[in-house]
Amino acid sequence: MINYQRILVPIDGSKGAKIALNKAIKIVKENQAHLDILKVMDMNSLDLGNTGLILDGEQVYQIEQANESYLTKLNQELVKKYDLSSKQFHVHLRFGNPKVVIVQDFQPEYHNDLIVVGSTGKNFLERLVMGSVASFVVREASCDVLLARSEK
């Protein structure tokens, strides 16, 4: 088996992302690797239900604070529930198109040698209109990608 040193797992709150995170944690423990957990806020999808209305600064701030709170709780859970050292992982929050941020910005910047993604966080119509982030990452990443489908 390849000895991965720096693993990236993008999360979006979906079931698939949780499965990917669990698999990534197992790989981190087996390889004594470092885990980067990335939450990308896609501001284009935050337009009040595709109504064309633009969020104001206060609404964006509230969304950002909610995500920061979620990541802080996740950080604490990783230390307590999964017995990870705070030096073994970092949580990151970025803004932008998740596809671009994961493949073109974050992974090259942090030199991740494995990306673990959940199979999908979108329904059929969303995948049809916007495309699957997981599919894009599998096709375009410059490192190995593991597509996590189930807990088994």
Side-chain angles (χ1 to χ4, degrees), residues 23-42:
K23 287 199 185 249
I25 289 169
K26 288 177 186 175
I27 296 167
V28 164
K29 287 184 171 188
E30 290 171 4
N31 290 278
Q32 295 298 309
H34 182 84
L35 178 62
D36 287 305
I37 301 165
L38 175 63
K39 171 89 169 114
V40 181
M41 290 179 50
D42 184 357

Side-chain angles (χ1 to χ4, degrees), residues 78-132:
L78 292 172
V79 171
K80 288 182 182 178
K81 182 178 176 183
Y82 296 100
D83 196 31
L84 289 177
S85 159
S86 60
K87 293 180 182 180
Q88 286 181 282
F89 69 93
H90 285 94
V91 293
H92 307 267
L93 180 62
R94 297 277 177 99
F95 291 87
N97 179 324
K99 295 174 185 179
V100 173
V101 171
I102 294 165
V103 174
Q104 296 176 4
D105 298 337
F106 193 91
Q107 185 274 326
E109 180 181 342
Y110 285 85
H111 307 290
N112 302 98
D113 51 3
L114 175 67
I115 302 174
V116 182
V117 293
S119 59
T120 185
K122 296 178 179 166
N123 64 37
F124 174 75
L125 185 59
E126 290 171 323
R127 284 192 312 269
L128 187 64
V129 174
M130 296 181 285
S132 166

Side-chain angles (χ1 to χ4, degrees), residues 70-82:
Y70 167 74
L71 293 175
T72 298
K73 289 177 186 173
L74 178 61
N75 193 332
Q76 294 166 350
E77 179 182 331
L78 292 172
V79 171
K80 288 182 182 178
K81 182 178 176 183
Y82 296 100

Side-chain angles (χ1 to χ4, degrees), residues 40-55:
V40 181
M41 290 179 50
D42 184 357
M43 298 309 291
N44 292 328
S45 69
L46 299 176
D47 66 356
L48 301 177
N50 294 321
T51 60
L53 299 175
I54 298 173
L55 297 175

